[in-house]
Amino acid sequence: MDHYADVLDHLGRTPRELGAIHLHVEPVTRGPLGEAVAVLWLQSAFEPLVSSGQSLLVMGRQKQGPTQRMLGQHPLPSLDGGRVVRWRLPLSLPPEIDELHFHVSAKPHPKAERVRPAWKLFDTLEIPKESEMKTVSTSPEFGVDVADSVMNTLLSGGLSLSFQVGFGSSQSPDPMKVMAGKRHAAAPTPSFFTAAVVEGTVEALSEPHLETIWTPGMPMPEAAVAAHWQPPMPTQAPSRGAWRTCYGCGFEGRSADYERTTLCPQCDAPWN
């Protein structure tokens, strides 16, 4: 069968494939009294789903401490027929909880077929710094300048090098060293979706609220629908030892370790 439209990707909500569904959770805003609302986006990855036992478990944890707490368990809404939903869940978060894990139990039927493209992480290739490359000397009559082309060719996914030929003596990085680089294996796909907790103003919500965003036959929603949340602006420039944070999935890494990565290594979203 043809795949349904990938609505979450269209809206800029990078999904994580968990079992038979795609899930994206926005950063969870907590109010001054611990009140919070989790906003989840769901679409099916396989159809049909098993008719019973599909559920969502919400766990709160303290990133820099031992605290873990179960915050609720809910039956998953129906996603049959390509339906895409936005699901809002009211929560009460203690002050020490600063990260939420959303565990999904959603098994496809034994005869299920994939109805949306899979979301997976891939290995990445790190381009070595010019200072790390072993240089090679060229003759005075014939100069080959590799350095200027390295960044353009490899960052664009190309496997070839372009050369600039000129007169005069020069030194260039060893092309074999350039092509080798460092290969970083993709991290194992987590069994849950991680969402950061941020402080702010929360709209009152007494019970779960479900909204259908799209079903086959409807026009695709405007991408602006998904852009109402903005990460807080930093009060000062981060230091070399600061952490980089992905407000899409909650992943954090030291700036010194991820200074040249433009996308979150966990969910592939642009990050701060």
Side-chain angles (χ1 to χ4, degrees), residues 23-258:
L23 170 69
H24 179 90
V25 186
E26 298 180 12
V28 178
T29 302
R30 172 173 50 203
L33 300 180
E35 71 279 16
V37 174
V39 181
L40 294 76
W41 301 71
L42 301 97
Q43 63 186 16
S44 59
F46 292 86
E47 287 187 1
L49 302 178
V50 174
S51 58
S52 62
Q54 313 297 301
S55 65
L56 173 80
L57 174 65
V58 185
M59 296 292 297
R61 68 181 295 269
Q62 185 180 20
K63 287 184 288 187
Q64 304 299 326
T67 302
Q68 295 192 56
R69 182 174 299 183
M70 178 177 171
L71 300 174
Q73 188 165 13
H74 309 269
L76 287 175
S78 172
L79 301 174
D80 293 339
R83 184 183 183 210
V84 181
V85 302
R86 178 167 49 193
W87 194 20
R88 301 171 65 220
L89 300 175
L91 300 169
S92 179
L93 303 182
E96 66 272 17
I97 297 296
D98 52 13
E99 182 176 271
L100 299 184
H101 291 177
F102 294 81
H103 299 259
V104 171
S105 176
K107 297 180 180 179
H109 189 276
K111 296 184 179 181
E113 297 182 1
R114 176 171 288 280
V115 294
R116 284 189 172 92
W119 272 89
K120 298 179 180 179
L121 295 178
F122 298 93
D123 292 357
T124 57
L125 180 65
E126 178 183 344
I127 303 171
K129 297 178 181 178
E130 186 174 349
S131 60
E132 298 171 349
M133 300 180 192
K134 185 178 180 180
T135 58
V136 292
S137 296
T138 60
S139 66
E141 295 82 9
F142 190 75
V144 180
D145 187 359
V146 181
D148 290 340
S149 66
V150 169
M151 192 63 69
N152 292 333
T153 55
L154 292 186
L155 278 181
S156 64
L159 295 179
S160 62
L161 294 176
S162 60
F163 295 91
Q164 294 181 354
V165 180
F167 293 97
S169 177
S170 65
Q171 284 190 324
S172 300
D174 185 346
M176 298 307 296
K177 179 76 172 181
V178 172
M179 295 304 296
K182 288 183 180 179
R183 183 167 294 279
H184 299 276
T189 302
S191 59
F192 51 83
F193 196 107
T194 302
V197 176
V198 296
E199 308 299 328
T201 303
V202 181
E203 180 183 356
L205 186 69
S206 59
E207 59 185 20
H209 179 268
L210 188 67
E211 176 187 0
T212 297
I213 299 299
W214 183 85
T215 57
M218 291 176 59
M220 287 289 281
E222 295 290 337
V225 171
H228 64 273
W229 184 87
Q230 294 294 333
M233 296 297 293
T235 56
Q236 58 184 11
S239 64
R240 288 282 296 175
W243 290 74
R244 296 187 67 181
T245 301
C246 175
Y247 290 101
C249 71
F251 177 83
E252 288 189 340
R254 291 190 179 279
S255 297
D257 298 332
Y258 295 97

Side-chain angles (χ1 to χ4, degrees), residues 6-10 13-18 22-23 43 45 114 116-122 189 267-269:
D6 191 339
V7 178
L8 298 191
D9 183 48
H10 169 74
R13 303 296 183 180
T14 303
R16 173 69 60 204
E17 187 167 307
L18 300 171
H22 288 166
L23 170 69
Q43 63 186 16
R114 176 171 288 280
R116 284 189 172 92
W119 272 89
K120 298 179 180 179
L121 295 178
F122 298 93
T189 302
C267 73
D268 292 335

